[in-house]
Amino acid sequence: MYQLYINPPKSSWSLRPWILLKILDIPFEPKIVRYLANINEQRQQFSTFSATAKIPVLYDNELQIWDSLAIFEYIAEDHPQVWPKDKKARAWARSVCAEMHSGFEYLRNICDFRPLEKITLTEIPQQLEDELKRLNTIFAQGLQQF
């Protein structure tokens, strides 16, 4: 059985593979770890189970897979329902996931992941507006095409 090291609800990165495993009803054991106030102590603690001293980390027996996108790809090897069956849809989905994974820097910086807190913006900076427009385009395109 997979073991997934995560920190809900503080880490959107670790929630991604958790949500995937839950939605697809793939058995796994969550290993909850907490962020520490002292980043050096946290890195030392996380390095006991993570090559990068970061989360998420998935274990499949002794094999360690880190980074949420790599975890998705690894899980997809045994669970093909992770990605669409159609080759073009699958390529599009992977492209969008990669863009979401590495892009939208301004959105992540200004609207960081604080699900239990209300975030209030007095104005929407142009960079954020551009990224939100791109998100809308991605969702609309995906719904229209697939």
Side-chain angles (χ1 to χ4, degrees):
M1 178 185 306
Y2 298 128
Q3 293 180 322
L4 180 64
Y5 286 79
I6 55 174
N7 181 346
K10 298 281 185 183
S11 169
S12 66
W13 296 101
S14 62
L15 278 177
R16 294 169 188 181
W18 182 88
I19 290 169
L20 176 77
L21 293 165
K22 283 291 207 183
I23 286 177
L24 296 180
D25 201 27
I26 298 170
F28 74 102
E29 178 186 355
K31 297 285 195 176
I32 308 301
V33 295
R34 300 290 176 208
Y35 290 124
L36 303 177
N38 183 312
I39 190 69
N40 292 324
E41 288 178 19
Q42 177 182 301
R43 285 185 183 132
Q44 186 176 8
Q45 176 189 340
F46 284 18
S47 69
T48 63
F49 59 83
S50 170
T52 62
K54 296 178 181 179
I55 54 173
V57 175
L58 181 81
Y59 275 84
D60 186 7
N61 296 313
E62 298 298 317
L63 179 62
Q64 181 184 145
I65 303 97
W66 59 95
D67 188 274
S68 56
L69 194 50
I71 292 169
F72 272 53
E73 290 293 348
Y74 183 80
I75 292 168
E77 294 288 331
D78 290 324
H79 303 276
Q81 69 270 34
V82 167
W83 295 115
K85 288 181 183 180
D86 178 75
K87 182 178 180 179
K88 289 180 181 179
R90 191 169 53 253
W92 186 87
R94 282 185 163 134
S95 294
V96 169
C97 284
E99 181 179 357
M100 295 291 293
H101 188 71
S102 63
F104 302 97
E105 295 170 34
Y106 200 81
L107 177 62
R108 275 193 289 222
N109 287 333
I110 200 166
C111 298
D112 62 347
F113 190 72
R114 291 177 276 178
L116 303 178
E117 299 177 33
K118 182 178 178 183
I119 298 171
T120 304
L121 298 175
T122 56
E123 64 179 80
I124 299 176
Q126 186 61 50
Q127 294 156 304
L128 178 59
E129 189 172 318
D130 293 345
E131 289 183 358
L132 293 173
K133 284 180 185 176
R134 177 63 186 148
L135 279 173
N136 284 332
T137 299
I138 289 170
F139 289 128
Q141 184 181 26
L143 290 170
Q144 181 182 21
Q145 287 184 290
F146 308 106

